[in-house]
Amino acid sequence: TSRLAMNIEACGEKFVEQALEKGIVNDITDFFKVTKEQLLTLPLFGERKAQIVLENVELAKQNIELNRFISVE
C-alpha cells in the first residue's frame, strides 16, 4: 500500500479509501499536497487528527527513499 511505501503514520487503509472517494488523492504524489482543509472534509477528521496527518506527511517528505517512491505496476 502507499502507506507502506511512504511510511506515513496515521494514514491507514481507511484514510486512503476515504481520501480516494472524496477525490483528495488520485495518486501517491497527492499525499504530499494534501491540505488541512481537505482533511477536515473527511469523516471523523477534526483539527487534531488533520494536524497529526500533516505532520506525518511532512516527516515522510524528509525521509522518503527514492526506491520506495518509485513503483512499477
Side-chain angles (χ1 to χ4, degrees):
T1 68
S2 59
R3 179 177 172 266
L4 294 174
M6 296 185 302
N7 195 26
I8 300 176
E9 294 296 321
C11 293
E13 189 174 325
K14 187 74 169 171
F15 164 75
V16 173
E17 288 174 8
Q18 291 174 345
L20 285 167
E21 287 173 10
K22 287 269 194 173
I24 293 171
V25 296
N26 295 304
D27 62 49
I28 197 168
T29 61
D30 290 338
F31 281 99
F32 295 111
K33 300 180 268 185
V34 71
T35 66
K36 182 185 276 190
E37 290 76 21
Q38 290 172 313
L39 293 174
L40 291 174
T41 67
L42 297 174
L44 304 177
F45 260 75
E47 291 281 332
R48 175 120 172 93
K49 188 170 182 179
Q51 188 60 41
I52 290 169
V53 169
L54 291 174
E55 289 171 4
N56 287 319
V57 167
E58 285 301 314
L59 287 173
K61 284 181 188 179
Q62 297 170 14
N63 297 321
I64 195 162
E65 297 172 21
L66 187 58
N67 64 335
R68 288 180 172 227
F69 188 69
I70 298 173
S71 64
V72 178
E73 294 185 23

